[in-house]
Amino acid sequence: MLHTPRVLTTDLGRDPKSALIFNFVRLGIRDKLYGLRQCIGFGRPDRAVLDHLGVPDSAIATKATEWAASIQPDFVQYHGLRSFAFGVALAEYHDVRFDREMLYIAAILHDISLASSAHDGPGSFEVEAAGCAHRWLAEQGYDQEKADVIHEAMALHSAVCHTGPRDPEGLLLHLGAGVDVVGMQVMNIHRDVRAKILRDYPRTGFVKDFGQLVVDQAYHKPQCHIAGLVDVGFKKALASNPLDRPA
């Protein structure tokens, strides 16, 4: 059967402020409900996922790691690795079946255009990074259908107002990066799992340096997607992440 290429996201503009505020309030209420359920003994995360956090060892995953490391600083590289690990942990919590290699490639590459001006362009960095990764995967001879899934996961990873369906890998990148950036669903990851991820991939300099990259992106592209998030307090939310509080 011939593969029919999906229509890929090529533009990700700035969401209205009211929509962003509504969605962040909604997500905040959801997280409080998760916390309340766990306080009374329901839905507590399992530490067994500790055994499932390793990155894929396939040739393409290794190449993606090396390529990413060559174009982005360590604090962004570690963000990608943490996003993958948190995504794996939340897949276990929510019982989501996914492709580890595809999630890993999307996670390690999702911020390459934010971190490297040479790989950025006029659009929102999420879409620019997705396009770069898609072209790179084609050069590696990677499966086109899988490359399309990775593209969409990357392009929409920060889109909190997105209401359409997501592939499992897209959902898990969105959730995993959300944990690492603003602490979204952090209570659904066992404290021992969080501790191991933070030991393996420290957040040294992340809040300050990553926050500055985002603010710079918003300043230079005021109509880009991340500019809307900056306008509703992205930097404050980043600095308030529970991951950075003493255990």
Side-chain angles (χ1 to χ4, degrees):
M1 181 181 295
L2 292 175
H3 164 57
T4 302
R6 68 167 71 188
V7 177
L8 300 179
T9 301
T10 58
D11 181 60
L12 192 66
R14 179 172 177 154
D15 287 322
K17 187 173 184 178
S18 58
L20 287 168
I21 292 172
F22 171 80
N23 277 282
F24 278 118
V25 169
R26 176 180 62 84
L27 294 171
I29 292 172
R30 180 204 61 187
D31 280 6
K32 287 185 182 299
L33 291 175
Y34 278 130
L36 286 172
R37 287 180 70 240
Q38 291 171 20
C39 281
I40 59 175
F42 295 100
R44 290 177 178 169
D46 192 338
R47 76 186 300 276
V49 74
L50 277 168
D51 298 329
H52 307 143
L53 299 177
V55 303
D57 60 0
S58 65
I60 190 65
T62 299
K63 285 184 179 180
T65 303
E66 293 171 350
W67 184 47
S70 73
I71 58 179
Q72 61 189 13
D74 287 349
F75 69 88
V76 178
Q77 185 85 347
Y78 278 8
H79 167 55
L81 290 161
R82 291 192 304 271
S83 296
F84 169 75
F86 288 137
V88 170
L90 288 174
E92 186 100 351
Y93 184 82
H94 294 295
D95 194 23
V96 177
R97 299 181 66 180
F98 68 102
D99 184 294
R100 292 180 70 86
E101 181 182 86
M102 289 161 60
L103 175 61
Y104 179 73
I105 294 170
I108 201 64
L109 299 179
H110 78 274
D111 281 336
I112 54 174
S113 293
L114 180 65
S116 170
S117 59
H119 294 82
D120 201 5
S124 294
F125 81 85
E126 300 92 337
V127 174
E128 297 289 350
C132 285
H134 199 263
R135 291 187 292 273
W136 180 80
L137 288 168
E139 292 169 0
Q140 310 307 311
Y142 197 65
D143 180 84
Q144 182 183 343
E145 189 170 2
K146 291 182 177 182
D148 289 352
V149 172
I150 290 169
H151 180 285
E152 289 303 279
M154 293 174 63
L156 298 172
H157 79 267
S158 66
V160 296
C161 295
H162 177 69
T163 56
R166 295 181 191 262
D167 299 293
E169 297 76 21
L171 171 64
L172 296 174
L173 178 58
H174 173 66
L175 295 179
V179 174
D180 199 47
V181 173
V182 295
M184 183 173 68
Q185 289 204 42
V186 69
M187 73 294 298
N188 292 337
I189 301 173
H190 194 282
R191 66 171 58 192
D192 292 348
V193 176
R194 298 197 307 258
K196 175 174 172 50
I197 293 170
L198 296 179
R199 283 195 306 270
D200 290 348
Y201 314 120
R203 286 169 62 85
T204 307
F206 179 67
V207 171
K208 175 178 177 292
D209 296 334
F210 187 80
Q212 192 59 52
L213 284 180
V214 169
V215 169
D216 289 346
Q217 182 86 186
Y219 175 78
H220 291 294
K221 303 179 195 175
Q223 294 307 313
C224 75
H225 182 71
I226 203 68
L229 297 175
V230 169
D231 194 40
V232 296
F234 175 92
K235 200 169 182 182
K236 181 178 179 181
L238 174 64
S240 302
N241 194 324
L243 290 174
D244 295 314
R245 298 175 195 160

